[in-house]
Amino acid sequence: MGTGVADGSRGARRWLLWLGLCFWAAGAAAARGADNGEVLPDSIPSAPGTLPHFIEEPEDAYIIKSNPIALRCKARPAMQIFFKCNGEWVHQNEHVSEESLDESSGLKVREVFINVTRQQVEDFHGPEDYWCQCVAWSHLGTSKSRKASVRIAYLRKNFEQDPQGREVPIEGMIVLHCRPPEGVPAAEVEWLKNEEPIDSEQDENIDTRADHNLIIRQARLSDSGNYTCMAANIVAKRRSLSATVVVYVDGSWEVWSEWSVCSPECEHLRIRECTAPPPRNGGKFCEGLSQESENCTDGLCILDKKPLHEIKPQSIENASDIALYSGLGAAVVAVAVLVIGVTLYRRSHSDYGVDVIDSSALTGNSLLLNPAMQPDLTVSRTYSGPICLQDPLDKELMTESSLFNPLSDIKVKVQSSFMVSLGVSERAEYHGKNHSGTFPHGNNRGFSTIHPRNKTPYIQNLSSLPTRTELRTTGVFGHLGGRLVMPNTGVSLLIPHGAIPEENSWEIYMSINQGEPSLQSDGSEVLLSPEVTCGPPDMLVTTPFALTIPHCADVSSEHWNIHLKKRTQQGKWEEVMSVEDESTSCYCLLDPFACHVLLDSFGTYALTGEPITDCAVKQLKVAVFGCMSCNSLDYNLRVYCVDNTPCAFQEVVSDERHQGGQLLEEPKLLHFKGNTFSLQISVLDIPPFLWRIKPFTACQEVPFSRVWSSNRQPLHCAFSLERYTPTTTQLSCKICIRQLKGHEQILQVQTSILESERETITFFAQEDSTYPAQTGPKAFKIPYSIRQRICATFDTPNAKGKDWQMLAQKNSINRNLSYFATQSSPSAVILNLWEARHQQDGDLDSLACALEEIGRTHTKLSNITESQIDDADFNYSRQNGL
């Protein structure tokens, strides 16, 4: 009670003191007016019952160097005005006050000034900027003005990001990044080209509004030059390093000229020049021939430099007779040699041939069932017909299955396993076409495998996999968004929250083309991913969705130029963007095994790659399957080399399931270089006296082009093994897959052909196959409330750079930031990309660490319990009427 009275007494005394000061100031002003000969009224009228009204309030100000700034305010009616800074009254002696009379209203007007120095601002250490406000008095009471902040202005010398020089093709997009030096107030940016200011308002092709970056939508030759970023505020101006932009034109061929007159050598020529347009500014010269020649007599022979139509008929008849008799003679000789060769071969070789000898012969097990028969390692033959038709069993094999299904018109080298074990690379060559037959389909016998001991199962059983017709999934999505996953393919679609307008819902589908690819590669370009379709195509979204597509490239910008392509309604494929290019229409983020694409339109998309060097690498998955053949003594091995994408291996599994095949070893990864060297597949270490392999099939070679551009059916080689006796139930061998002058992998086969002894090897994780479609908050790893707070924090620009650009950097998003700058909420799009990349692990700890490093939040997302997330989602759903 006593304390309250004391406080009240002090307050009254303070009020009386201020009133005394006011009357003293009024008396002093009157005295000064009398001294100056001015006559002021005895009492300046003020409107009874009127609070002071500020005509002028203090404005925010910046102290430049050491110059103090003046704050002023003006109010009426006002008996007195004083400044209050940082909650403390400014001393009366620091005020400069002026008093006047408003002629229109007859009310007293008072204006007050104070100065604020640099030292005062530097000495202040508070939670906010240095601030001041005015307090004005009238007979009725007081009024307060707005708070004006006072800051020390500065502009650092170094740019946070200087623009970098670029070489771009004509009509390509140019994006020059510029992050000005830190400063108060924030610096304004101006771009110079060749020291002349750029006016984006006069050139619609240029945009300088996207977060200080310079964007030229379609490059022209006139856009080549030196570009400089200028940053300025009230303190100083700064210049960035100049960036040289070169817009080049690749040369193109004119159309071919007319053919020249036929020459005495019966040839005519035509030419074309590289002038439509010619290469400019370092562009590539035209590809292809500039001159072409061909026979101008429709391929007829010439004689004595004259065309054949000028030669006498008698000469022609004589020449024809000679050719006829020569051909008949050669045919007779060839048939005789063939008969003699087959007879000698059958007399000098056993029923099984040299190919029965395995690398185990080198360890002492060199005796065969027929000890008198020795391999002839000096024989070299060329086979021009169907391979290995030397006994009825071979013929049965060739009618059941082609050794290289579906490889047609290819060159296959076959070598004995003994020659391979000795390191001999050349044995015999076979030139021919594949046979149309395949191994019997629908074989449901119980052929088993033995699972390697002490290995953790990491994949799903073969029998639970869908067939090809099931590589399509759908889901109904609304305003809350969700995630659509194609099980066991690596393909997924993320629909962000709010992408679909409220009260709308769409049935969204996604499919993978497993037939003949509609994208035909041009030149050295290869298909690196499946063709993925998402729709419906007429659906519109308000924010980009994220499409995840697996790829098989060993990612390196030094060796690959990777493109995103889209199929048009006419069935043609157009390039959307290069992964390394700048674009504001879409965004590509390339991870080691998948590409995450931010898009705003549905359609069919695929990734293609153009190797820049011979060191470009495709990742292949190699696997071996086995099954019994119709002959109870034979066992078939099929070795697959397919692109390392889950959907490509899914197709292999589907084929093998229909053929009754079993996976015999965990699939392995093979790095296949673009060095034009072929792939060699060989079977080694077959147990002698138990198994034999068909002659001349122990080693098979696949040309480079068939492996590198294998975009059709799965590429595989088939091997047929035969037991000597039906009592043999175990098979063990090695399969070596290697690229000549490249990498190799060994598959260890150890299996039983008895169903009772079989253990299954599985091969797909079940994580993504349980819920193909998830909708609403449960589809996202980041709770909606946390997501909203992150966006509200980082979407706001910050002078210290702690904004969405720093959020992108901490999440390894370091290029094409102009795409995010064009979005209404850059942070939300960055978080959508994070969701797409972390759909398997959902590593919230890494995101929380990134936020803590930035220093804008100390909330650890991983500490949020599941119940808290459920409550937040439930509350959110109730608020939205769900």
Side-chain angles (χ1 to χ4, degrees):
M1 183 70 178
T3 303
V5 173
D7 290 341
S9 300
R10 282 196 296 270
R13 285 198 298 271
R14 187 179 298 113
W15 174 247
L16 292 175
L17 175 62
W18 281 113
L19 276 181
L21 289 174
C22 292
F23 287 123
W24 173 84
R32 287 196 302 271
D35 292 340
N36 295 332
E38 298 177 359
V39 179
L40 294 177
D42 294 336
S43 176
I44 299 179
S46 61
T50 301
L51 288 173
H53 170 70
F54 284 97
I55 303 172
E56 183 177 350
E57 297 185 77
E59 299 289 340
D60 295 340
Y62 298 93
I63 295 179
I64 303 174
K65 297 181 180 180
S66 298
N67 300 321
I69 55 96
L71 297 180
R72 54 183 291 176
C73 61
K74 182 188 296 186
R76 70 179 180 196
M79 298 174 57
Q80 192 57 273
I81 301 176
F82 285 95
F83 270 91
K84 194 175 189 179
C85 293
N86 305 316
E88 299 291 336
W89 292 103
V90 178
H91 196 276
Q92 178 185 359
N93 295 338
E94 298 179 14
H95 290 73
V96 177
S97 179
E98 294 181 358
E99 187 178 279
S100 62
L101 186 66
D102 187 354
E103 296 180 357
S104 59
S105 63
L107 298 178
K108 183 191 299 183
V109 177
R110 184 172 294 276
E111 186 173 7
V112 175
F113 303 83
I114 65 168
N115 287 331
V116 179
T117 66
R118 183 186 184 98
Q119 189 66 41
Q120 288 175 306
V121 177
E122 290 179 343
D123 291 343
F124 173 70
H125 302 286
E128 53 187 347
D129 292 332
Y130 190 100
W131 60 269
C132 295
Q133 70 176 161
C134 293
V135 181
W137 279 266
S138 70
H139 292 294
L140 186 63
T142 62
S143 295
K144 295 181 180 180
S145 70
R146 65 178 295 274
K147 289 183 179 180
S149 63
V150 181
R151 305 174 67 187
I152 298 175
Y154 68 93
L155 183 63
R156 302 199 185 280
K157 293 183 179 180
N158 297 326
F159 277 71
E160 294 186 3
Q161 182 178 7
D162 287 291
Q164 301 295 318
R166 296 286 306 276
E167 292 184 1
V168 296
I170 193 167
E171 296 185 355
M173 176 178 284
I174 301 174
V175 179
L176 297 180
H177 297 283
C178 175
R179 295 186 68 181
E182 181 182 347
V184 173
E188 295 184 356
V189 169
E190 180 185 27
W191 283 90
L192 305 180
K193 176 191 173 186
N194 299 331
E195 302 302 322
E196 294 293 332
I198 296 175
D199 188 356
S200 60
E201 294 183 356
Q202 295 183 359
D203 191 343
E204 296 180 352
N205 194 39
I206 298 178
D207 185 3
T208 59
R209 297 170 297 174
D211 200 27
H212 307 312
N213 299 329
L214 173 67
I215 300 176
I216 301 178
R217 297 182 178 89
Q218 289 186 319
R220 304 154 294 193
L221 287 175
S222 59
D223 292 321
S224 298
N226 295 319
Y227 288 81
T228 308
C229 182
M230 292 286 297
N233 66 3
I234 59 177
V235 179
K237 290 184 178 181
R238 305 281 188 247
R239 289 173 58 97
S240 71
L241 298 177
S242 293
T244 301
V245 172
V246 177
V247 181
Y248 62 85
V249 178
D250 289 333
S252 179
W253 290 94
E254 294 181 340
V255 296
W256 286 104
S257 67
E258 296 293 333
W259 288 103
S260 66
V261 179
C262 194
S263 69
E265 288 77 19
C266 296
E267 287 187 343
H268 57 182
L269 304 175
R270 64 176 183 175
I271 62 173
R272 55 182 178 176
E273 296 182 351
C274 188
T275 57
R280 300 182 63 179
N281 294 348
K284 295 180 182 178
F285 197 76
C286 300
E287 297 180 356
L289 299 174
S290 60
Q291 179 174 303
E292 191 175 57
S293 64
E294 67 176 22
N295 190 286
C296 54
T297 58
D298 295 330
L300 299 178
C301 302
I302 61 173
L303 184 64
D304 296 332
K305 304 293 185 180
K306 295 182 179 180
L308 284 179
H309 64 271
E310 298 181 6
I311 302 176
K312 296 182 179 179
Q314 184 176 358
S315 301
I316 297 177
E317 292 177 1
N318 294 337
S320 300
D321 292 342
I322 294 173
L324 175 62
Y325 293 132
S326 299
L328 291 176
V332 172
V333 173
V335 172
V337 171
L338 179 61
V339 172
I340 295 172
V342 171
T343 303
L344 293 176
Y345 176 80
R346 292 195 172 185
R347 290 180 179 178
S348 60
H349 289 74
S350 69
D351 291 338
Y352 304 121
V354 300
D355 215 55
V356 173
I357 301 178
D358 195 37
S359 58
S360 59
L362 298 179
T363 63
N365 298 326
S366 59
L367 293 177
L368 306 178
L369 291 179
N370 186 356
M373 195 60 62
Q374 298 295 328
D376 182 4
L377 302 181
T378 63
V379 177
S380 178
R381 301 178 179 85
T382 299
Y383 299 87
S384 58
I387 189 170
C388 298
L389 297 180
Q390 85 180 64
D391 56 32
L393 289 178
D394 294 340
K395 294 179 182 179
E396 179 184 348
L397 170 67
M398 296 308 296
T399 57
E400 284 184 352
S401 168
S402 64
L403 292 175
F404 259 84
N405 182 26
L407 303 181
S408 60
D409 299 320
I410 69 170
K411 174 182 178 183
V412 183
K413 295 182 180 178
V414 290
Q415 301 153 0
S416 70
S417 56
F418 184 70
M419 297 288 286
V420 174
S421 67
L422 293 176
V424 179
S425 61
E426 296 293 333
R427 169 62 177 169
E429 293 189 354
Y430 157 65
H431 301 266
K433 297 183 178 180
N434 71 307
H435 300 268
S436 59
T438 59
F439 285 105
H441 288 256
N443 191 344
N444 294 321
R445 298 183 186 179
F447 309 123
S448 62
T449 63
I450 296 181
H451 194 287
R453 303 297 181 185
N454 301 324
K455 289 189 177 181
T456 304
Y458 67 102
I459 43 188
Q460 162 186 336
N461 196 328
L462 174 65
S463 61
S464 65
L465 292 171
T467 61
R468 290 190 194 182
T469 57
E470 294 177 325
L471 289 184
R472 175 187 173 97
T473 185
T474 62
V476 177
F477 297 88
H479 183 68
L480 297 181
R483 193 189 303 266
L484 189 63
V485 177
M486 186 79 71
N488 300 321
T489 64
V491 177
S492 64
L493 183 68
L494 182 77
I495 308 297
H497 176 277
I500 300 176
E502 291 190 78
E503 300 180 358
N504 285 1
S505 63
W506 287 84
E507 182 179 18
I508 298 177
Y509 63 85
M510 189 166 58
S511 63
I512 299 176
N513 177 22
Q514 282 208 306
E516 185 76 11
S518 60
L519 197 162
Q520 301 299 324
S521 302
D522 297 331
S524 60
E525 193 176 49
V526 294
L527 186 63
L528 297 177
S529 77
E531 297 175 1
V532 179
T533 301
C534 52
D538 57 343
M539 176 181 169
L540 299 178
V541 292
T542 59
T543 188
F545 60 89
L547 177 64
T548 298
I549 306 176
H551 66 81
C552 62
D554 188 22
V555 179
S556 173
S557 58
E558 298 177 358
H559 307 310
W560 280 107
N561 188 7
I562 298 178
H563 307 271
L564 175 68
K565 292 195 172 183
K566 181 181 181 181
R567 189 172 63 192
T568 63
Q569 294 181 350
Q570 292 74 27
K572 296 182 179 180
W573 286 85
E574 293 181 348
E575 180 174 331
V576 178
M577 69 173 295
S578 173
V579 172
E580 295 299 324
D581 284 349
E582 302 281 347
S583 173
T584 57
S585 60
C586 67
Y587 186 90
C588 290
L589 181 62
L590 204 62
D591 279 344
F593 298 102
C595 183
H596 310 283
V597 190
L598 295 176
L599 300 162
D600 55 12
S601 62
F602 290 95
T604 301
Y605 296 90
L607 292 173
T608 63
E610 184 179 359
I612 301 174
T613 69
D614 289 347
C615 295
V617 169
K618 277 184 66 175
Q619 298 181 11
L620 303 181
K621 180 170 288 186
V622 294
V624 56
F625 289 79
C627 70
M628 294 290 290
S629 70
C630 293
N631 186 336
S632 61
L633 293 179
D634 286 359
Y635 192 79
N636 299 323
L637 297 178
R638 289 184 290 275
V639 182
Y640 289 85
C641 301
V642 297
D643 292 346
N644 184 37
T645 59
C647 47
F649 193 61
Q650 173 100 274
E651 187 174 357
V652 171
V653 170
S654 178
D655 289 343
E656 282 297 323
R657 184 176 63 179
H658 285 84
Q659 298 186 71
Q662 292 291 330
L663 184 67
L664 304 183
E665 168 68 323
E666 294 178 359
K668 294 185 177 179
L669 198 62
L670 177 69
H671 286 192
F672 190 77
K673 291 184 177 180
N675 57 9
T676 72
F677 286 95
S678 58
L679 186 72
Q680 199 175 72
I681 305 174
S682 54
V683 181
L684 307 174
D685 296 341
I686 300 175
F689 310 111
L690 298 177
W691 293 87
R692 68 165 184 163
I693 191 169
K694 294 296 181 179
F696 307 111
T697 62
C699 184
Q700 302 181 19
E701 190 167 312
V702 186
F704 168 82
S705 60
R706 292 308 305 268
V707 183
W708 188 251
S709 302
S710 178
N711 300 328
R712 300 180 180 87
Q713 299 178 10
L715 175 66
H716 77 272
C717 294
F719 299 89
S720 183
L721 306 180
E722 183 181 7
R723 295 178 288 171
Y724 285 118
T725 63
T727 59
T728 301
T729 62
Q730 298 291 325
L731 171 63
S732 65
C733 63
K734 293 180 180 179
I735 296 177
C736 177
I737 305 103
R738 72 184 186 97
Q739 183 184 19
L740 301 179
K741 297 188 178 181
H743 298 85
E744 76 171 17
Q745 277 288 4
I746 299 294
L747 297 176
Q748 180 69 54
V749 176
Q750 183 177 356
T751 186
S752 171
I753 62 174
L754 297 180
E755 184 175 4
S756 59
E757 301 177 3
R758 181 177 66 196
E759 292 187 17
T760 303
I761 294 181
T762 53
F763 37 83
F764 276 126
Q766 301 189 37
E767 298 176 1
D768 61 352
S769 60
T770 307
Y771 304 105
Q774 291 181 300
T775 59
K778 292 294 184 182
F780 303 97
K781 307 298 181 183
I782 307 174
Y784 182 76
S785 58
I786 301 296
R787 176 190 176 94
Q788 291 296 89
R789 276 184 274 171
I790 294 175
C791 294
T793 301
F794 288 96
D795 281 344
T796 304
N798 185 279
K800 297 182 179 180
K802 296 179 180 179
D803 52 15
W804 64 264
Q805 297 189 61
M806 184 70 73
L807 179 65
Q809 180 183 349
K810 291 298 181 181
N811 284 279
S812 302
I813 303 173
N814 299 314
R815 53 164 209 84
N816 197 15
L817 297 183
S818 57
Y819 172 82
F820 300 97
T822 60
Q823 304 298 323
S824 58
S825 176
S827 302
V829 180
I830 292 171
L831 294 180
N832 293 340
L833 195 56
W834 185 93
E835 291 274 3
R837 298 178 74 184
H838 295 84
Q839 61 176 317
Q840 297 295 341
D841 53 52
D843 189 7
L844 290 175
D845 275 346
S846 64
L847 180 60
C849 290
L851 297 177
E852 289 180 2
E853 286 180 13
I854 298 174
R856 295 291 293 272
T857 178
H858 298 285
T859 303
K860 202 167 177 61
L861 297 181
S862 58
N863 291 336
I864 300 175
T865 64
E866 186 174 350
S867 61
Q868 288 175 314
I869 295 176
D870 292 342
D871 292 342
D873 293 338
F874 175 73
N875 292 335
Y876 170 77
S877 300
R878 289 201 307 173
Q879 292 171 6
N880 286 272
L882 300 177

